[in-house]
Amino acid sequence: MVVVILAAPVYLVKATSLQQASSEGQAIFAQKCQACHTIGGGRLVGPDLQGVTQRRDLAWLKGFIAAPDQVLASGDPIATQLLAEYNNVPMPNLALSPAEVDALIAYLENPTAGGAANVPPAAAPVGAGDPARGQALFSGQVRLQNGGVSCIACHSAAGLPALGGGALGPDLTQVVQRYGGEAGTASVLASLPFPTMQGFFATRPLTPQEQADLLAYFVWAGAQPAPQPTTTPVTWFWAVGVGGALALFAGMALFWPRQRRSISEQLRSRG
């Protein structure tokens, strides 16, 4: 009896610690994972994570959550298979600390211990947007309401002007297909979970209407015929630069000798 009474506080502290870790893991999941995964809600951009701690070796799971890019680069067969199965969309490195990884594992082991049930992020209704307005938002012709950076700063897509968009991020013409359809893409637009985008949009999220308009534009863009190979904007810049340099040198070669002669003539006339 005395042993049971003394052991009770230990179990109580352990249970409280696990519940706290699960709650922290739930917050991490909602912020960084929920755009691409559900727990029992079916697959989105990535797999449904219901029961993942039973399906995967715990050490492998921790390593993959902590540094998916490194695991994939190592040629790991499970990571390679997942990449091929989910449209070659790699999981980004979320820069989680070991404590955050442990908290996330605790939540995945027992999602109900974290509190509220897992639900997909609030996203605009599929098909409710205007593709023309979505293109204007993408290109920066219409500013994002909360002050976020226009997509064209880093991305390109079908239907943009001749110079296209930025090259820092991938071309988004086929983004709906890559993210498993409209539902997956809508989920990503709701939270934009990628580390490089969080710096711009963490405090400047897309409004539901902007999400819907961009989704409609991406659906339209993905249905366009594949463009014929054309000269890229970078090639155009090089061509214009080289052409301008050649024209400058040609002008110097043509006019500089005459200028030198005229200066010599002026000096002789003054002498």
Side-chain angles (χ1 to χ4, degrees):
M1 183 68 177
V2 175
V3 174
V4 173
I5 293 174
L6 292 175
V10 176
Y11 287 112
L12 182 60
V13 170
K14 185 175 181 180
T16 302
S17 178
L18 289 174
Q19 185 174 4
Q20 181 179 356
S22 186
S23 297
E24 294 173 358
Q26 183 186 30
I28 295 169
F29 185 90
Q31 180 183 6
K32 297 180 179 291
C33 310
Q34 196 165 257
C36 298
H37 302 277
T38 70
I39 300 179
R43 57 188 287 170
L44 289 176
V45 181
D48 186 333
L49 298 182
Q50 180 74 46
V52 69
T53 55
Q54 286 76 48
R55 296 197 307 271
R56 302 296 183 198
D57 175 76
L58 186 59
W60 181 91
L61 189 59
K62 285 186 175 183
F64 187 74
I65 292 173
D69 51 341
Q70 296 178 21
V71 175
L72 186 61
S74 72
D76 180 86
I78 298 176
T80 302
Q81 178 186 353
L82 288 171
L83 182 67
E85 183 178 351
Y86 288 90
N87 302 305
N88 292 314
V89 179
M91 176 175 165
N93 190 323
L94 301 175
L96 298 176
S97 69
E100 289 174 324
V101 172
D102 289 340
L104 192 53
I105 292 291
Y107 175 60
L108 293 175
E109 286 181 333
N110 189 8
T112 58
N118 169 242
V119 295
V126 174
D130 177 359
R133 181 174 173 80
Q135 184 182 43
L137 289 167
F138 187 102
S139 65
Q141 294 175 335
V142 174
R143 298 187 63 180
L144 297 173
Q145 181 175 319
N146 290 327
V149 179
S150 300
C151 310
I152 198 171
C154 299
H155 301 279
S156 59
L160 296 181
L163 291 180
L168 293 176
D171 185 294
L172 298 182
T173 300
Q174 300 295 324
V175 68
V176 174
Q177 290 81 349
R178 290 205 306 271
Y179 285 171
E182 294 182 33
T185 309
S187 179
V188 171
L189 288 170
S191 61
L192 300 173
F194 309 107
T196 52
M197 301 186 74
Q198 279 292 299
F200 297 110
F201 292 98
T203 58
R204 303 175 182 86
L206 298 173
T207 67
Q209 187 59 53
E210 289 170 344
Q211 296 169 36
D213 292 338
L214 284 169
L215 177 60
Y217 168 56
F218 291 142
V219 170
W220 173 86
Q224 301 310 299
Q228 298 298 319
T230 57
T231 305
T232 64
V234 174
T235 305
W236 275 111
F237 284 129
W238 274 104
V240 171
V242 171
L246 292 175
L248 178 62
F249 285 128
M252 292 175 63
L254 180 64
F255 294 107
W256 179 247
R258 297 181 181 179
Q259 182 69 13
R260 288 188 60 189
R261 284 197 299 271
S262 64
I263 293 174
S264 300
E265 292 171 356
Q266 292 178 25
L267 290 174
R268 283 196 296 270
S269 64
R270 292 176 183 177

